[in-house]
Amino acid sequence: MKPLNIGMIGYGFMGRTHSNGYRQANRFFDLEYQPVLKAVCARNEEKAKAFAEQQGYESIETDWRKLIARDDIDAVDVCTPNNLHKEISIAAAEAGKMVLCEKPLAMSVAEGIEMCEAVEKAGVANMVWYNYRRVPAVTLAKQLIDEGRLGKVFHYRANFLQDWTINADVPQGGAATWRLDAEAAGSGVTGDLLAHCIDTALWLNGDIEDVSAMTETFVKERVHAETGAKQPVTIDDACMFHCHFKNGSLGLFESTRYARGHKALYTLEVNGENASLRWDLHDLHRLEYFDHGDDSIVRGWRSVHVSDGDQPYMGNWWVPGLQIGYEHTFIHQVADFLKSLETGEPAHPNFRDALETQKVCDAVLASAKERCWKNI
Ligand code: 4PW
């Protein structure tokens, strides 16, 4: 077993999902490399220590530059707010470290290009944590589409709906609510939620040609979590766009944090000439599938419980009928990354792939601002 020493920068919700992925991957997948939780970095020493103890990191740092400079770190995991992705990723690549970066890749396409150039120039392995590709039911959707079962695709539809920012008293900025602060996040639901939908869409249905979007900011002012000052809100609270895919199909996307009752309703549907499929994060182990080729007397939507060993990733888990969940998507992503180091075939989505998603996000925001169609 070859050790792969991980240095994680940031320690929030995503830090926990990734750490769990590093710990579990080798217990369920046959891999040459084994992650070692070497160090975690956070500005607050007490919090870094508590995280290291809980998750099993051997040491802590409070300055990310020191973590990157350490000889005993092979791969840097960037789990910070989005405004630090570029600086840290480029510094890590220049130090010869592999880089695993949280989504979205960057604050803008310009930043993303610099990041791609840095990892490619350094020749270091790189990956972006668009984890929903690794839900077995979504990977199965990709398999069915690639096998040509849907035929010509006409429609691609996706939503990502939440409701946690309806209360105007929710602050912006700070460790827990940086996602509402444009300075830290770059954008609102577009980069945070729609970016997932776009990544999956590009993977399942190919490139997008052009977009037309609208955004809204429902709560105009919020208190900053750290300074207490009331500030204008400049993120998009909701975003909708429609688009043309290069394969001729039409896309429709919606995301909001104001859909009362919805906590993380990520749904997607693809309608093809011969078949359709749909998936829902709240029921993530099921893939709904309609095949027009079925005998007409039994034709209808079938609900495939994705738990069989023949289905993607599932042969590594329990026995048919027993399902897995959200945390497994990160375990799969770690396993795929480790496998890529073995085979030399890049893991996806890498920085270059994530740049394509960034291009769509930037075009969506520009389209909404200028009220016109934007080419990608
Ligand atoms: O990346 C997204 C987060 O910022 C996640 O997939 C879901 O929405 C859960 O938290 C937020």
Side-chain angles (χ1 to χ4, degrees):
M1 202 74 98
K2 298 179 189 164
L4 183 79
N5 291 343
I6 306 291
M8 174 171 292
I9 302 174
Y11 62 94
F13 159 42
M14 282 301 130
R16 287 191 286 137
T17 61
H18 298 186
S19 301
N20 184 57
Y22 294 130
R23 279 204 311 269
Q24 302 284 357
N26 296 77
R27 295 181 183 150
F28 295 92
F29 293 80
D30 289 330
L31 299 158
E32 235 174 64
Y33 287 85
Q34 168 139 43
V36 178
L37 302 183
K38 264 292 160 199
V40 62
C41 176
R43 276 174 303 182
N44 181 315
E45 192 174 346
E46 287 316 304
K47 288 188 174 159
K49 274 187 187 157
F51 185 88
E53 200 169 306
Q54 187 193 46
Q55 300 295 326
Y57 283 83
E58 290 176 16
S59 62
I60 66 149
E61 295 289 348
T62 52
D63 176 349
W64 61 262
R65 288 182 182 80
K66 284 197 181 146
L67 180 133
I68 285 176
R70 278 171 58 161
D71 289 337
D72 63 348
I73 298 294
D74 301 315
V76 172
D77 189 334
V78 187
C79 273
T80 62
N82 307 341
N83 58 345
L84 287 170
H85 287 186
K86 179 188 119 177
E87 199 182 352
I88 297 176
S89 296
I90 292 177
E94 285 173 350
K97 314 292 186 192
M98 304 172 198
V99 194
L100 300 99
C101 184
E102 244 312 314
K103 47 60 58 176
L105 176 64
M107 301 280 276
S108 64
V109 170
E111 281 196 7
I113 290 172
E114 281 186 63
M115 294 166 77
C116 287
E117 287 172 355
V119 291
E120 286 163 8
K121 185 170 169 214
V124 293
N126 56 90
M127 188 178 70
V128 179
W129 293 93
Y130 281 114
N131 60 303
Y132 296 114
R133 289 186 182 203
R134 265 84 180 184
V135 175
V138 175
T139 316
L140 179 60
K142 165 81 174 155
Q143 188 182 316
L144 300 180
I145 291 169
D146 287 355
E147 285 170 5
R149 292 184 192 231
L150 272 63
K152 182 172 170 44
V153 172
F154 298 118
H155 295 285
Y156 190 101
R157 230 167 273 116
N159 289 320
F160 206 139
L161 312 180
Q162 298 185 335
D163 72 354
W164 65 281
T165 65
I166 292 177
N167 186 340
D169 293 338
V170 175
Q172 61 180 343
T177 45
W178 62 266
R179 284 174 174 77
L180 303 193
D181 178 6
E183 273 184 29
S187 68
V189 294
T190 300
D192 193 38
L193 305 177
L194 274 179
H196 280 300
C197 303
I198 296 164
D199 172 73
T200 319
L202 299 183
W203 191 51
L204 295 181
N205 198 38
D207 289 341
I208 290 175
E209 204 163 76
D210 55 10
V211 297
S212 171
M214 61 194 265
T215 57
E216 185 55 71
T217 304
F218 295 114
V219 173
K220 309 288 184 203
E221 282 190 323
R222 290 185 189 273
V223 164
H224 193 277
E226 279 162 357
T227 65
K230 217 167 201 196
Q231 297 176 329
V233 175
T234 56
I235 56 153
D236 42 306
D237 285 338
C239 178
M240 294 168 177
F241 76 93
H242 57 176
C243 66
H244 294 100
F245 282 88
K246 287 203 172 133
N247 66 5
S249 60
L250 303 181
L252 186 59
F253 293 75
E254 181 188 5
S255 184
T256 178
R257 294 181 179 134
Y258 288 72
R260 181 59 86 204
H262 293 306
K263 305 302 171 186
L265 186 72
Y266 176 10
T267 56
L268 65 85
E269 177 162 335
V270 193
N271 305 129
E273 183 182 3
N274 305 322
S276 288
L277 53 83
R278 64 184 183 217
W279 171 80
D280 172 350
L281 174 58
H282 283 182
D283 214 2
L284 85 176
H285 53 282
R286 288 195 176 274
L287 185 67
E288 308 283 328
Y289 182 68
F290 179 97
D291 188 342
H292 189 66
D294 285 345
D295 189 336
S296 61
I297 59 165
V298 290
R299 189 188 295 149
W301 281 93
R302 66 181 93 154
S303 179
V304 182
H305 189 263
V306 183
S307 63
D308 191 276
D310 289 340
Q311 291 161 330
Y313 299 106
M314 294 311 299
N316 294 79
W317 295 101
W318 320 120
V319 294
L322 303 186
Q323 67 210 38
I324 59 172
Y326 171 74
E327 69 273 29
H328 297 78
T329 63
F330 297 93
I331 302 171
H332 297 161
Q333 188 142 7
V334 170
D336 288 347
F337 182 75
L338 298 176
K339 190 50 95 179
S340 79
L341 302 180
E342 243 173 87
T343 62
E345 286 296 316
H348 295 282
N350 58 20
F351 278 28
R352 231 350 114 185
D353 302 320
L355 179 61
E356 293 307 308
T357 294
Q358 192 74 47
K359 286 180 191 170
V360 178
C361 288
D362 281 20
V364 161
L365 292 169
S367 160
K369 196 170 167 197
E370 297 166 34
R371 292 175 174 253
C372 64
W373 280 87
K374 286 281 170 189
N375 290 326
I376 306 302

